[in-house]
Amino acid sequence: MLDERNIPKHVAIIMDGNGRWAQKNNTTRLAGHNAGMRAMKEIVKSSSAWGVEHLTVYAFSTENWKRSVEEVSGIFKLIVIYVDKELKELHKNNVKVNILGDYSKLPKESVERLEKALGTTKNNTGLQFNIALNYGSRDEITKAVRLISEKVKNGEFTPEQITEEMIGQHLYTGGLFHNIPDPDLIIRTSGERRLSNYLLWQSAYSEFAFPDVLWPDFSPAEYMKIMEEYQSRDRRFGGR
Ligand code: IPE
Ligand code: IPE
Ligand code: MG
């Protein structure tokens, strides 16, 4: 049972293990990504139902371009399929879609669908479903440094006036873009225990969970177990 007063406001997920799931099930990597999409659909629903305010999923990293052209273009095609199939339902459930990352580098068809999803859901007030696409923390921080440098150059403020808050504001999650609070809980499936360039700045005081389950097998029941365990943790933020 979840304690309604202690639901994490922001859950961030590294959806990892699609390829290994495919291998285990004797199918293609793309079929693995497709199965991952089905899992994601359920986790969006659970997050909404439990009152999580922000769900951020890592869908494609700035490093994932290193994969084969077939795999990369297959993943982008799945985005088109996902929006075509799910947008109506997301909108009906009052979910607002946001994108973190420079998605303009994706194929035209994917960009169009994503913009359709952003436009359709822009006034929704339920779960904020943030999709990290062509996202990398170092890229995000580099862009923030550039934006801030420009402002210093223009005389808007001096270097001494730069604060942690200001840096946060200039990240994709920041007030200048989406105003997403730091993640309370970061989940990475598939047993890997690393961040792979995800939310490095924002995760300073996040709690972590590393379930062994491969992403396509990650079910609402697994998610519930992690949420319950999260609720038993003592977060101190450097205090005593
Ligand atoms: C995560 O699954 C999905 C993406 C990175 C797009 P992987 O494709 O990384 O799966 P594994 O790690 O090879 O099993
Ligand atoms: C991180 O997973 C990126 C996504 C889940 C989208 P990877 O599978 O790309 O990360 P590494 O290469 O194992 O660190
Ligand atoms: Mg992986």
Side-chain angles (χ1 to χ4, degrees):
M1 271 289 283
L2 287 179
D3 175 356
E4 282 170 28
R5 293 157 308 176
N6 188 19
I7 302 291
K9 269 197 170 48
H10 181 186
V11 177
I13 303 187
I14 302 174
M15 309 185 291
D16 198 14
N18 295 350
R20 278 160 284 168
W21 182 92
Q23 199 165 34
K24 207 176 92 184
N25 290 278
N26 272 317
T27 183
T28 61
R29 290 187 66 85
L30 211 54
H33 293 309
N34 192 42
M37 203 96 91
R38 288 201 297 271
M40 185 178 81
K41 219 174 85 180
E42 294 307 312
I43 297 313
V44 171
K45 273 196 223 157
S46 302
S47 302
S48 263
W50 299 341
V52 171
E53 292 174 23
H54 286 270
L55 173 71
T56 304
V57 298
Y58 207 2
F60 193 86
S61 75
T62 47
E63 286 75 43
N64 286 147
W65 294 100
K66 293 178 194 163
R67 298 186 181 200
S68 74
V69 181
E70 298 79 64
E71 180 171 357
V72 170
S73 60
I75 291 171
F76 296 151
K77 280 208 189 85
L78 280 177
I79 292 173
V80 174
I81 295 170
Y82 174 77
V83 172
D84 287 346
K85 264 179 39 192
E86 303 301 330
L87 182 57
K88 231 173 146 178
E89 167 111 359
L90 289 171
H91 188 43
K92 197 185 84 198
N93 293 333
N94 200 19
V95 173
K96 180 176 176 187
V97 178
N98 297 311
I99 297 167
L100 312 183
D102 181 9
Y103 65 94
S104 74
K105 300 290 185 296
L106 271 56
K108 199 164 151 256
E109 202 190 15
S110 309
V111 173
E112 275 169 15
R113 287 315 194 287
L114 289 166
E115 286 182 341
K116 184 174 168 202
L118 296 178
T120 306
T121 65
K122 71 172 190 291
N123 295 319
N124 289 349
T125 55
L127 176 73
Q128 306 255 328
F129 178 34
N130 312 307
I131 309 175
L133 263 176
N134 191 19
Y135 174 88
S137 256
R138 289 182 170 186
D139 174 62
E140 176 184 43
I141 293 168
T142 304
K143 288 194 166 91
V145 171
R146 282 193 198 129
L147 286 172
I148 294 171
S149 303
E150 280 298 325
K151 293 182 184 176
V152 170
K153 199 171 98 186
N154 297 338
E156 286 180 50
F157 43 76
T158 65
E160 291 70 31
Q161 286 171 315
I162 297 171
T163 59
E164 292 185 7
E165 286 68 32
M166 191 189 290
I167 294 173
Q169 288 280 312
H170 289 78
L171 302 174
Y172 287 120
T173 47
L176 293 182
F177 299 93
H178 297 103
N179 216 4
I180 301 167
D182 287 343
D184 299 293
L185 172 63
I186 296 183
I187 302 170
R188 182 174 190 150
T189 55
S190 86
E192 306 294 354
R193 289 165 168 78
R194 57 177 171 268
L195 277 174
S196 302
N197 207 8
Y198 195 42
L199 302 173
L200 301 181
W201 174 277
Q202 297 88 336
S203 63
Y205 273 101
S206 301
E207 297 294 328
F208 289 89
F210 297 107
D212 285 327
V213 56
L214 301 172
W215 175 252
D217 292 330
F218 190 73
S219 61
E222 297 277 346
Y223 189 22
M224 173 66 90
K225 268 197 287 184
I226 290 170
M227 293 286 262
E228 284 171 342
E229 197 267 328
Y230 164 86
Q231 293 195 326
S232 73
R233 295 188 191 188
D234 178 20
R235 301 183 72 194
R236 289 189 289 273
F237 299 96
R240 30 177 298 174

